[in-house]
């Protein structure tokens, strides 16, 4: 598997991000969906990566700089053909290392509260994330779980 800066114009990437957004809308009302669209992922404060196995897109994820000591994980998604094969864990570990190399002291994320989000919550907990209050511009929301991890 190769992780590289994601091409937001690649058809497979566009399709996976569209699927991600549509799936979020199945489980949360629109005002509670915080998935980023293509233009938001192209902003300078966000680095977007894709994991590729041969020529197949295995997954994606992004790291948003909140400030020089705090980053946020965004747009984590595994391609359907690669579910339960450890791709999300590899991508998340990669982004944690990147956050650490940037000097971030904290890494946070928002994920859903519905049953469909339990596998993601378990993965985040496995890698040291703990439930926390809302951060950045987020507000309390029954459809959101906020998590954070101190990194060195």
């Amino acid at each position: 598997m190769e992780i590289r800066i994601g091409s937001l114009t690649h058809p497979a990437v566009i399709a996976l991000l569209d699927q991600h957004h549509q799936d979020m809308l199945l489980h949360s009302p629109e005002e509670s969906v915080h998935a980023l669209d293509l233009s938001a992922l192209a902003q300078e404060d966000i680095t977007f990566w894709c994991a590729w196995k041969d020529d197949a897109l295995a997954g994606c994820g992004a790291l948003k700089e909140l400030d020089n000591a705090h980053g946020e994980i965004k747009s984590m998604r595994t391609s359907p053909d690669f579910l339960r094969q450890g791709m999300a864990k590899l991508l998340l570990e990669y982004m944690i290392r990147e956050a650490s190399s940037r000097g971030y002291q904290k890494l946070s994320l928002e994920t859903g509260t519905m049953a469909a989000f339990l596998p993601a919550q378990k993965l985040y907990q496995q890698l040291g994330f703990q439930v926390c209050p809302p951060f950045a511009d987020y507000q309390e929301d029954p459809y959101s779980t906020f998590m954070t991890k101190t990194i060195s």
Side-chain angles (χ1 to χ4, degrees):
M1 183 183 68
E2 179 184 3
I3 297 175
R4 58 183 187 248
I5 298 285
S7 171
L8 293 168
T9 59
H10 192 287
V13 174
I14 293 169
L16 183 61
L17 289 170
D18 183 59
Q19 178 187 28
H20 177 62
H21 189 75
Q22 294 305 316
D23 201 34
M24 298 304 100
L25 289 171
L26 288 176
H27 303 288
S28 302
E30 188 170 356
E31 64 273 8
S32 296
V33 172
H34 303 287
L36 299 178
D37 64 16
L38 291 169
S39 63
L41 287 167
Q43 298 300 309
E44 287 187 22
D45 61 344
I46 296 178
T47 306
F48 178 75
W49 290 278
C50 289
W52 298 90
K53 187 166 183 179
D54 300 319
D55 291 329
L57 178 61
C60 64
L63 180 59
K64 178 178 182 176
E65 182 171 298
L66 298 175
D67 62 43
N68 63 359
H70 190 186
E72 179 183 3
I73 299 293
K74 297 293 293 180
S75 300
M76 285 285 300
R77 185 68 180 202
T78 302
S79 297
D81 292 342
F82 291 92
L83 289 172
R84 292 174 246 330
Q85 296 178 32
M87 293 300 161
K89 184 177 181 187
L90 290 172
L91 261 169
L92 186 56
E93 288 172 335
Y94 182 90
M95 290 189 289
I96 292 169
R97 286 191 303 273
E98 179 64 26
S100 180
S101 74
R102 292 180 183 189
Y104 295 166
Q105 296 168 7
K106 185 165 44 170
L107 197 52
S108 301
L109 60 90
E110 179 275 339
T111 190
T113 58
M114 308 305 280
F117 297 98
L118 290 178
Q121 290 176 20
K122 286 181 183 179
L123 171 64
Y124 299 137
Q125 289 171 342
Q126 264 183 355
L127 294 179
F129 286 84
Q130 298 177 346
V131 173
C132 69
F135 60 92
D137 294 331
Y138 291 105
Q139 302 294 318
E140 285 289 343
D141 184 329
Y143 293 94
S144 290
T145 296
F146 304 98
M147 303 180 85
T148 196
K149 172 186 176 71
T150 301
I151 55 177
S152 54

